Amino acid sequence: MGIRVDTEKCTGCGTCQPACPFGLIDIIDEKARINVAGCNLCGACKDACVYEAIEIEQTVVQVPASDEYRGVWVFAEQRNGEIKGVAYELLSKGRELADTLKTELCAVCIGYNVKDVAQLNAHGADKVYVIDDPALASQTEDPYVAELTRLIREHKPEIVLAGATPFGRSFFPRVAAQLKTGLTADCTGLDIDTEKKLLRQTRPTFGGNIMATIICPLKRPQMATVRPRTFRRNAPDANHKGQIIKIDFNKSAVISKTRLLNFVADMSEKVKLDDADIIVSGGRGLGKPENFQLIRDLASALGAAVGSSRPPVDEGWISYPHQVGQTGKTVCPKLYFAIGISGAVQHLAGMQTADCIIAINDDPDAPIFQVATYGIVGDLFKIVPMLTESLKKG
Ligand SMILES: Cc1cc2nc3c(=O)[nH]c(=O)nc-3n(C[C@H](O)[C@H](O)[C@H](O)COP(=O)(O)OP(=O)(O)OC[C@H]3O[C@@H](n4cnc5c(N)ncnc54)[C@H](O)[C@@H]3O)c2cc1C
């Protein structure tokens, strides 16, 4: 792709100059000159030019035939042989996508001594491709990139999903690069454009201020990563039968540039928000750090974990591992208390899939009430101690 000015047609009138959002156009010797190095080919100058003197050359991309790529795939990540929860969450969403597209859902599990592979079938996979080999135990990326790329090239799925875990974020883009296709990272929503049969991949952008829906119309497969706990995990269905297909590890084809010397678990994080069934979160409405004790007391009465919106973390009232939201944790508990939290989109991004949300806020118009299952309008300093006391009395 490129942009050029037809100097025969250009009159040097300058109407293109203000149209360029990046100020890349100069008029020199009565002709427009575009600084192509900074140009993203948005076409605003072309649209502004009444003399049709600006041309953008498009590279013709071969769109794959609609039936060449079929099926929705989920990369089922494991560590030390245990399949991660995000794999089941993605299969639950993947089942919906596959049913909409009237195609099959497959899981790919790569590792060593992986347990409970049949659970992937019970969570919706029609086929599970398993590559199990001692050489895959250390989970260095190169063999995973090579093997997933090989399987995708062979079977041609139209959609491939992976968890936005540290491993997924690192190895999955390398697979996309090998396949020369697009990848949308950290999606918070996935659905199908039924007319065009495209995956609509929604994620926060511009610092979380807007949600962008991204499509990949010209390349296959369409690839996306999704943060753990973004989608609800369906209950397993033992009646959903599927195939387990064992594939030999193609060791000779893998050139590994890395070697695992040691693995040191991160013990710094003691707050187990991810696994909590009940979370009690406090926000800026608490006013000062000491008041977080109200949240801790209620959490202790309920046997719950303590969460927070971002301002108390920024103010140093509570540490970062407690933060729920776009730049904190994504959680999906059975019960979530939002106390003195307004319900900004960045907070909702981390908790809105909770089964039941109870909001306590003195502003009846606070956006949190739009997602709350139950809303209590009133002063948290009166309501929370009353709740804690009555729970303690049992
Ligand atoms: C890039 C980016 C990333 C972000 N990431 C996150 C994130 O991960 N998590 C997050 O939470 N935010 C995040 N934010 C910040 C987010 O935009 C909001 O500013 C934040 O969530 C607001 O926190 P809050 O609801 O505690 O405070 P506020 O919006 O100030 O709300 C306080 C609420 O308390 C209520 N209140 C006050 N006094 C009382 C009382 N006595 N009784 C009852 N209610 C009372 C008020 O009515 C109000 O609704 C991010 C922002 C950006 C730009």
Side-chain angles (χ1 to χ4, degrees):
M1 296 239 288
I3 189 163
R4 63 179 284 274
V5 177
D6 183 335
T7 48
E8 296 286 308
K9 291 182 183 169
C10 179
T11 62
C13 68
T15 39
C16 54
Q17 268 189 308
C20 177
F22 305 106
L24 297 174
I25 304 178
D26 294 316
I27 304 297
I28 299 169
D29 296 336
E30 298 185 345
K31 301 288 171 197
R33 289 264 181 90
I34 302 172
N35 175 4
V36 289
C39 176
N40 70 358
L41 306 176
C42 71
C45 57
K46 182 177 187 299
D47 294 344
C49 178
V50 289
Y51 300 101
E52 298 182 349
I54 297 174
E55 293 163 8
I56 295 179
E57 290 151 12
Q58 307 270 358
T59 308
V60 178
V61 178
Q62 191 65 42
V63 184
S66 58
D67 55 355
E68 196 184 341
Y69 285 77
R70 301 277 298 152
V72 177
W73 278 24
V74 167
F75 173 72
E77 184 180 337
Q78 57 75 39
R79 179 162 288 275
N80 299 328
E82 306 277 348
I83 294 169
K84 294 206 159 194
V86 67
Y88 300 117
E89 293 155 24
L90 290 177
L91 282 172
S92 304
K93 174 53 81 173
R95 187 70 264 166
E96 268 175 55
L97 303 175
D99 290 347
T100 308
L101 286 164
K102 297 190 177 49
T103 188
E104 65 180 9
L105 175 67
C106 304
V108 180
C109 191
I110 304 175
Y112 178 52
N113 265 342
V114 185
K115 300 178 198 87
D116 296 331
V117 176
Q119 278 298 308
L120 298 168
N121 291 124
H123 280 82
D126 302 312
K127 284 181 193 156
V128 181
Y129 296 103
V130 182
I131 305 181
D132 199 292
D133 192 282
L136 299 164
S138 68
Q139 225 171 337
T140 49
E141 284 176 22
D142 295 317
Y144 283 73
V145 172
E147 290 299 76
L148 185 57
T149 307
R150 170 170 76 105
L151 289 182
I152 292 173
R153 284 200 173 121
E154 210 173 301
H155 297 275
K156 295 190 168 32
E158 57 197 302
I159 293 171
V160 189
L161 310 174
T165 59
F167 185 70
R169 281 173 197 219
S170 179
F171 108 100
F172 209 51
R174 292 182 56 193
V175 176
Q178 294 275 332
L179 297 166
K180 297 195 169 40
T181 187
L183 183 150
T184 306
D186 268 1
C187 293
T188 53
L190 296 174
D191 62 10
I192 301 290
D193 175 337
T194 44
E195 202 181 308
K196 299 191 179 118
K197 298 212 164 174
L198 286 174
L199 179 67
R200 291 162 42 88
Q201 307 158 70
T202 302
R203 56 153 297 151
T205 190
F206 284 111
N209 291 316
I210 57 167
M211 301 300 280
T213 297
I214 295 160
I215 51 169
C216 178
L218 303 180
K219 295 284 185 162
R220 291 293 178 276
Q222 302 157 87
M223 294 177 69
T225 61
V226 177
R227 284 170 81 172
R229 301 275 173 163
T230 300
F231 298 131
R232 199 177 296 278
R233 169 182 177 163
N234 291 343
D237 175 3
N239 294 323
H240 183 89
K241 299 281 179 241
Q243 289 171 267
I244 295 178
I245 301 162
K246 296 202 170 148
I247 294 169
D248 289 336
F249 175 41
N250 189 7
K251 198 172 185 175
S252 59
V254 178
I255 303 159
S256 205
K257 299 185 204 75
T258 50
R259 192 159 50 92
L260 184 71
L261 298 179
N262 192 9
F263 181 82
V264 182
D266 179 6
M267 302 304 282
S268 61
E269 200 187 306
K270 297 188 181 67
V271 186
K272 290 285 173 208
L273 276 184
D274 302 15
D275 305 324
D277 279 342
I278 309 177
I279 297 174
V280 181
S281 283
R284 184 157 32 204
L286 287 163
K288 51 184 176 180
E290 303 84 277
N291 292 339
F292 236 99
Q293 195 52 41
L294 291 173
I295 301 296
R296 290 194 184 94
D297 291 346
L298 179 57
S300 140
L302 284 161
V306 173
S308 174
S309 64
R310 181 161 153 175
V313 172
D314 288 348
E315 293 294 325
W317 303 354
I318 189 162
S319 59
Y320 173 71
H322 293 269
Q323 185 180 317
V324 173
Q326 186 193 311
T327 41
K329 294 255 164 61
T330 305
V331 297
C332 186
K334 293 192 173 114
L335 182 58
Y336 187 89
F337 281 84
I339 301 174
I341 293 177
S342 59
V345 64
Q346 295 88 355
H347 188 77
L348 301 186
M351 45 62 77
Q352 63 189 346
T353 54
D355 290 347
C356 177
I357 298 169
I358 299 182
I360 304 174
N361 200 303
D362 62 3
D363 173 5
D365 297 323
I368 192 73
F369 289 126
Q370 286 166 23
V371 297
T373 322
Y374 301 101
I376 305 173
V377 179
D379 184 359
L380 72 90
F381 296 105
K382 289 189 186 134
I383 297 163
V384 176
M386 270 164 38
L387 250 173
T388 308
E389 275 317 301
S390 60
L391 282 164
K392 276 187 185 161
K393 280 181 198 148

